[in-house]
Amino acid sequence: MSENKITLAHGSGGQLTHELIKHLFVRYFANPHLSRLTDAAVLSLPDLRVAMTTDSYVIRPLFFPGGNIGKLAVCGTVNDLAVMGAKPLYLTCGLIIEEQFDYETLEQIVASMAHTARDAGVKIVTGDTKVIERGNGDGLFINTAGIGVCEYQFPPAIEIGDKIVINGTLGDHEIAVLSARQNLGFDFEVASDCAPLADLIVHVLKAHSSVKFMRDPTRGGLAMVLNEIVEEQPFGIALDETEIPLKDAVRGICAVLGFDPLYLANEGKVVMVVNADDAPRLVDTMRAHPLGRDSRIIGEIVDAPQGMVYLRTTIGGKRIVDMPVGTQLPRIC
Amino acid sequence: MSENKITLAHGSGGQLTHELIKHLFVRYFANPHLSRLTDAAVLSLPDLRVAMTTDSYVIRPLFFPGGNIGKLAVCGTVNDLAVMGAKPLYLTCGLIIEEQFDYETLEQIVASMAHTARDAGVKIVTGDTKVIERGNGDGLFINTAGIGVCEYQFPPAIEIGDKIVINGTLGDHEIAVLSARQNLGFDFEVASDCAPLADLIVHVLKAHSSVKFMRDPTRGGLAMVLNEIVEEQPFGIALDETEIPLKDAVRGICAVLGFDPLYLANEGKVVMVVNADDAPRLVDTMRAHPLGRDSRIIGEIVDAPQGMVYLRTTIGGKRIVDMPVGTQLPRIC
């Protein structure tokens, strides 16, 4: 690692984050759980497999269309467990609050956490609060850690022909937060997709044993998740641009501001790699759930180019979808 | 709750923190695990009891005699599990880093976390890194959450006559950090007691089934822990001032600056309530461990005044030891 300073890009979820984790944390904390680089740790406790995960939430503004930092802090951690095939059970909640933070605002956020936890079927069982001097923090940071019991057994290796499935439109969360922060002044509002996915995922896994991989495309977006799937693997991924679900408003804002929706953060989306034969039926199952109504097959595992993700564009071309490098967008989560 | 603003005192570990937790978190997150108000949650997973805890570390300066924020972030969470009678197993690590933070400093801190985790016999199994814009944070915040397996069964209720035991001198951590921060210019150095206590505690619990309660006296110090023990109980606690172990340097600094050592934070101390008959033998067991050499019986459970802690002073008087209110000291942890 040649840099001597931490930059915003180290926290962007892109390649530099990836390198920081590999070169620093995996190196020092070396253990078999951590080096799998998944979002949650699967722990062999004496009698059962428990998944454990953590995430800090530093989003600004604290409130945005469709959610707030508290709702997000529960959804994000619940989703990290759910995509591991675990049933989320228990969360911790660590707050870092700047002094003079408004008490009623805090109450609203805590109430939202509680509400979302009930929705998601998890309990917040322990917590910690630190208050820091004014000027040293930015209002409120929340960390949640969570554990769940692993119930789903992922079938073996990903194969050529497997389908890529997503449960709905891309980029809603990032556009919602950016609009709220920047006062972009568009005359339509996009609400964040922020939602706990555990119920949808359980619903799908009960009916299907064909799901080989799941991940929630948050920071770094779909592009990041797909690049992690193919990294150093003997296969690639082809995405079909026409199949990628986008809200008209998001498509419009991306066109105007030059954003690529594949890199936008989501907080209520899950990407799955699914056995080809079962994929259409699985999409039907997902569509029967409120959080899966816009589910689609958006691409597939291909034999070449290996280790890469490309997009078959609407006009019949091909475009490489790289791992995000640095920050194409202002940091929002 | 009449205040509308969060103040530093809400994070001080004293009465306002206590009220914030009771009135906000317990109210909203209501569940039987949380309302016990212990440092870690004991979770009935299907097949075994797992303890889970979290803590955020916002200490300044990041380095101090005897430790740094990374060592502290591991010790603190390990100790919160150990005092629940749990064997700490797995930790999460969430970092919030201000951009432009020095990479080598980060590496030093991470290395220290890794070293301390090995010492404590725990694995850091998952993590998360957020980088925030310069000026929005104060260099580095660390959150750790941890789980452990509950191995020790606490015997039933605390009784009149039970002894209060501590494993060494009070206040070393807080004085070390204050000196490092304020350049107090004393010509002696006090090192923080920051240490993982799991090994000492296992060592004690293997040989003794007489420990009825344990807690690590961190923020709010010994005064806070003892007040929590007696709160709404039909007994009180009497402390013997002559028995309370203090380093000469800490005693001197307290005398000069007007601090009460009972309220100073510790990061390598455990307070136990122990059956009277077994207490002397237990102190001997503790003294055989490197982290227990200065163990002492410092007081006992008394029948009156109920719900209160008092100190039998060196000159034969009695002084009430209240729950800390507000911040007698600059916030250090």
Side-chain angles (χ1 to χ4, degrees):
Chain A
M1 192 124 200
S2 61
E3 298 83 2
N4 283 316
K5 297 286 178 194
I6 296 296
T7 67
L8 279 179
H10 283 110
S12 68
Q15 200 169 320
L16 284 174
T17 306
H18 205 63
E19 281 176 16
L20 187 70
I21 293 171
K22 267 196 187 167
H23 295 174
L24 200 55
F25 305 121
V26 173
R27 196 172 124 213
Y28 280 102
F29 296 156
N31 67 59
H33 303 294
L34 191 67
S35 43
R36 295 182 57 203
L37 283 180
T38 49
D39 271 347
V42 178
L43 309 172
S44 298
L45 290 179
D47 293 299
L48 77 174
R49 291 193 318 141
V50 166
M52 184 177 194
T53 188
T54 189
D55 222 329
S56 301
Y57 301 86
V58 299
I59 195 165
R60 299 294 173 268
L62 298 175
F63 292 81
F64 48 83
N68 62 64
I69 189 172
K71 180 180 179 186
L72 189 63
V74 173
C75 291
T77 294
V78 162
N79 293 348
D80 280 347
L81 292 171
V83 297
M84 300 292 296
K87 181 177 160 51
L89 290 177
Y90 301 112
L91 299 191
T92 65
C93 167
L95 303 183
I96 299 176
I97 312 173
E98 198 178 24
E99 61 169 332
Q100 296 300 316
F101 191 83
D102 185 62
Y103 185 84
E104 269 152 41
T105 307
L106 181 61
E107 184 158 10
Q108 225 178 318
I109 289 166
V110 168
S112 176
M113 292 186 77
H115 180 84
T116 311
R118 271 194 300 275
D119 258 15
V122 295
K123 287 176 176 160
I124 299 171
V125 291
T126 188
D128 168 64
T129 306
K130 293 291 187 302
V131 181
I132 53 175
E133 285 86 354
R134 200 169 170 81
N136 282 346
D138 192 12
L140 177 67
F141 303 129
I142 302 181
N143 175 285
T144 50
I147 62 175
V149 179
C150 298
E151 293 186 331
Y152 180 76
Q153 202 64 358
F154 285 93
I158 291 173
E159 293 162 313
I160 311 299
D162 286 348
K163 299 298 181 189
I164 312 295
V165 172
I166 196 157
N167 65 316
T169 55
L170 284 187
D172 302 0
H173 177 69
E174 183 134 12
I175 294 300
V177 173
L178 279 182
S179 315
R181 186 160 58 182
Q182 311 284 8
N183 281 314
L184 293 179
F186 291 110
D187 54 359
F188 39 77
E189 188 179 272
V190 177
S192 166
D193 57 339
C194 180
L197 293 168
D199 192 63
L200 167 69
I201 289 174
V202 166
H203 168 79
V204 170
L205 296 184
K206 265 190 186 154
H208 301 266
S209 56
S210 59
V211 179
K212 298 184 170 182
F213 177 91
M214 285 186 287
R215 188 69 63 90
D216 51 333
T218 57
R219 281 186 295 175
L222 183 64
M224 185 67 192
V225 169
L226 298 184
N227 271 285
E228 286 185 342
I229 294 174
V230 300
E231 194 181 19
E232 292 171 26
Q233 296 297 325
F235 54 75
I237 287 176
L239 283 179
D240 293 307
E241 189 170 24
T242 50
E243 295 304 317
I244 290 173
L246 280 183
K247 287 200 169 70
D248 287 342
V250 171
R251 190 188 307 277
I253 293 172
C254 283
V256 169
L257 299 179
F259 294 157
D260 183 339
L262 298 180
Y263 294 86
L264 295 178
N266 312 276
E267 291 290 350
K269 291 298 173 309
V270 54
V271 187
M272 298 182 180
V273 180
V274 182
N275 183 285
D277 296 341
D278 191 47
R281 208 171 59 86
L282 180 136
V283 167
D284 288 343
T285 305
M286 287 178 87
R287 286 183 177 165
H289 190 279
L291 293 175
R293 288 216 185 92
D294 298 320
S295 296
R296 298 276 272 277
I297 296 173
I298 56 171
E300 61 187 340
I301 303 290
V302 292
D303 56 356
Q306 294 186 357
M308 297 183 79
V309 178
Y310 70 90
L311 187 72
R312 296 167 185 149
T313 66
T314 9
I315 55 163
K318 281 187 182 182
R319 176 163 75 74
I320 295 299
V321 179
D322 277 331
M323 188 173 279
V325 180
T327 45
Q328 75 154 353
L329 304 166
R331 179 188 63 72
I332 62 130
C333 58
Chain B
M1 192 124 203
S2 61
E3 298 82 3
N4 283 315
K5 297 286 177 193
I6 296 297
T7 66
L8 279 179
H10 283 110
S12 69
Q15 199 168 322
L16 284 173
T17 307
H18 203 63
E19 282 177 15
L20 187 70
I21 293 171
K22 266 197 186 166
H23 295 175
L24 200 55
F25 305 120
V26 173
R27 196 173 123 213
Y28 281 101
F29 297 154
N31 67 59
H33 302 295
L34 192 67
S35 42
R36 295 182 57 205
L37 283 179
T38 49
D39 271 346
V42 179
L43 310 171
S44 297
L45 290 179
D47 292 300
L48 78 175
R49 290 193 317 140
V50 167
M52 184 178 194
T53 188
T54 189
D55 221 327
S56 301
Y57 300 86
V58 299
I59 194 165
R60 298 296 173 267
L62 299 175
F63 292 80
F64 47 84
N68 62 63
I69 189 172
K71 180 180 179 186
L72 189 62
V74 173
C75 291
T77 294
V78 162
N79 293 349
D80 280 347
L81 292 171
V83 296
M84 300 293 295
K87 181 179 161 50
L89 290 177
Y90 302 111
L91 299 192
T92 65
C93 167
L95 302 184
I96 299 176
I97 313 172
E98 198 178 25
E99 61 170 332
Q100 297 299 317
F101 190 83
D102 186 61
Y103 186 85
E104 268 151 42
T105 307
L106 182 61
E107 184 159 8
Q108 224 179 317
I109 290 167
V110 168
S112 175
M113 292 185 78
H115 179 85
T116 311
R118 271 192 301 274
D119 258 14
V122 296
K123 289 176 174 160
I124 299 170
V125 292
T126 187
D128 168 64
T129 306
K130 293 291 187 301
V131 181
I132 53 176
E133 285 88 353
R134 200 169 169 83
N136 282 347
D138 193 11
L140 176 67
F141 302 129
I142 302 181
N143 175 286
T144 50
I147 61 175
V149 179
C150 298
E151 293 187 331
Y152 180 75
Q153 203 63 358
F154 285 94
I158 291 174
E159 294 163 310
I160 312 300
D162 286 348
K163 299 297 181 188
I164 312 295
V165 172
I166 195 157
N167 64 316
T169 55
L170 284 186
D172 302 359
H173 177 68
E174 184 134 10
I175 295 299
V177 173
L178 279 180
S179 315
R181 185 160 61 183
Q182 313 283 7
N183 281 315
L184 292 180
F186 292 110
D187 54 358
F188 38 77
E189 189 180 270
V190 177
S192 166
D193 58 340
C194 181
L197 294 168
D199 192 63
L200 167 70
I201 289 174
V202 166
H203 169 79
V204 171
L205 297 184
K206 265 189 186 155
H208 300 267
S209 56
S210 59
V211 180
K212 298 185 169 182
F213 176 92
M214 284 186 287
R215 188 66 65 90
D216 51 332
T218 55
R219 282 187 294 176
L222 182 65
M224 185 67 192
V225 169
L226 297 184
N227 271 284
E228 286 183 343
I229 294 173
V230 300
E231 194 182 21
E232 293 171 24
Q233 296 297 327
F235 53 76
I237 287 176
L239 282 179
D240 293 307
E241 190 170 25
T242 49
E243 295 304 316
I244 291 172
L246 280 183
K247 286 200 168 69
D248 286 341
V250 171
R251 190 188 309 274
I253 293 172
C254 283
V256 170
L257 298 179
F259 295 156
D260 183 338
L262 299 179
Y263 294 87
L264 295 179
N266 311 276
E267 291 290 349
K269 291 299 171 310
V270 54
V271 186
M272 299 182 179
V273 180
V274 181
N275 185 287
D277 296 341
D278 191 46
R281 208 171 59 87
L282 180 135
V283 167
D284 288 342
T285 305
M286 288 177 85
R287 286 183 177 166
H289 190 281
L291 293 175
R293 286 215 187 94
D294 298 319
S295 296
R296 299 276 272 276
I297 296 172
I298 57 171
E300 59 187 339
I301 303 290
V302 293
D303 57 355
Q306 295 187 356
M308 296 183 79
V309 179
Y310 70 90
L311 187 72
R312 297 167 184 149
T313 66
T314 10
I315 54 163
K318 281 188 183 181
R319 176 164 74 75
I320 296 298
V321 179
D322 277 331
M323 188 172 280
V325 180
T327 44
Q328 75 154 352
L329 304 167
R331 179 189 61 75
I332 62 130
C333 57

